[in-house]
Amino acid sequence: MAKRGVIIVAGGSGRRMGGALPKQFMMLDNEPILARSINRMHEALPAAEIVVVLPEEHVELWKNIAARFDVARHKIAIGGKERFHSVKNGLEALCIVGIHDAVRPLASKKLVIKLFLEAENSTAVIPVVAPIDSYRIVEGDDSRIIDRSALRMVQTPQVFQAEALRKAYEQPFSTTFTDDASVMEAAGHKVTLVEGERENIKITTPSDMLIAEAIINAESETQL
């Protein structure tokens, strides 16, 4: 089996959350968000190497937090100024690698496995969901409706053939690189879309915490 790994990017400042701690360290159902993300990846891929990319100033803080909880084994890499540099710093000698946002702690085992299996035959695989709301594009003082059937909301983990991703990260940084799939596209690779999960939310605001807690409670009731 191809050697698998997961890079969890944990460089957020948490400004929109409004708390004293960066959001990846905040508690969600009695567990730090980052710990839940790490453990979800480990449950899906128990043999995979997990690398957490942190700003240098957060490393000791995370080590102190992690020591108080049951967190799956992982390595720590120092992040860069932009997400682009953080992921580049986290890449190692792997065959297939998943890049995951630390603040998406609810990605299911089923989704993670599905993405990694698809990546055995595709260079770049990302989970997406169709939008529910209507959207308009603003052009100066005017706006017009966008056909939402042509839109998809992008999630993580995004999974790649690692050698192709490493080469893609040799190109200079661009402000158009909003995620790892955009880096691969710029290097000429096709991105394969896989149906994601609406529960796989990105925790950014206090209301997202409430939604995440509701999802966790629903999962717990289902498992009873």
Side-chain angles (χ1 to χ4, degrees):
M1 180 182 291
K3 186 178 179 183
R4 297 169 171 176
V6 178
I7 297 172
I8 298 178
V9 185
S13 63
R15 287 190 299 270
R16 281 178 287 181
M17 187 65 74
L21 278 176
K23 57 194 174 187
Q24 59 268 27
F25 304 140
M26 291 181 177
M27 299 297 291
L28 176 62
D29 194 41
N30 299 316
E31 186 178 26
I33 290 173
L34 177 55
R36 185 173 289 272
S37 294
I38 292 170
N39 290 341
R40 288 260 172 151
M41 294 299 111
H42 176 70
E43 288 167 10
L45 305 166
E49 182 174 294
I50 298 175
V51 179
V52 176
V53 184
L54 290 161
E56 188 169 8
E57 62 269 25
H58 290 167
V59 171
E60 288 305 314
L61 171 62
W62 169 242
K63 287 181 178 179
N64 290 335
I65 293 172
R68 304 199 298 270
F69 295 89
D70 186 12
V71 185
R73 185 175 180 179
H74 60 279
K75 294 182 178 179
I76 293 175
I78 304 302
K81 181 180 178 182
E82 304 288 346
R83 179 191 177 94
F84 175 90
H85 304 107
S86 294
V87 173
K88 188 174 183 179
N89 290 351
L91 281 170
E92 294 190 17
L94 302 166
C95 295
I96 299 177
V97 61
I99 315 294
H100 190 51
D101 291 327
V103 289
R104 286 190 190 270
L106 303 179
S108 74
K109 178 179 178 179
K110 179 180 178 181
L111 176 62
V112 176
I113 292 172
K114 179 170 67 172
L115 292 164
F116 270 81
L117 288 175
E118 181 64 33
E120 292 181 1
N121 301 307
S122 303
T123 306
V125 181
I126 65 172
V128 299
V129 293
I132 297 172
D133 298 328
S134 294
Y135 290 86
R136 298 187 70 87
I137 186 167
V138 177
E139 298 170 325
D141 295 330
D142 297 321
S143 68
R144 57 183 172 83
I145 194 74
I146 297 177
D147 179 7
R148 69 182 179 193
S149 68
L151 299 178
R152 294 294 182 272
M153 297 184 293
V154 177
Q155 302 179 331
T156 69
Q158 300 182 357
V159 187
F160 309 95
Q161 294 287 334
E163 183 58 29
L165 185 61
R166 277 191 288 272
K167 289 181 179 178
Y169 267 95
E170 291 175 1
Q171 63 189 310
F173 170 71
S174 168
T175 54
T176 62
F177 295 157
T178 57
D179 63 1
D180 306 285
S182 59
V183 177
M184 289 289 276
E185 271 188 324
H189 296 286
K190 177 185 176 182
V191 176
T192 300
L193 307 184
V194 168
E195 186 67 27
E197 298 171 337
R198 297 204 178 276
E199 297 81 5
N200 183 22
I201 65 171
K202 185 175 183 178
I203 297 178
T204 305
T205 65
S207 61
D208 295 329
M209 293 285 280
L210 296 175
I211 295 169
E213 288 171 359
I215 293 171
I216 291 169
N217 290 336
E219 289 178 345
S220 298
E221 291 176 3
T222 301
Q223 293 169 3
L224 292 178

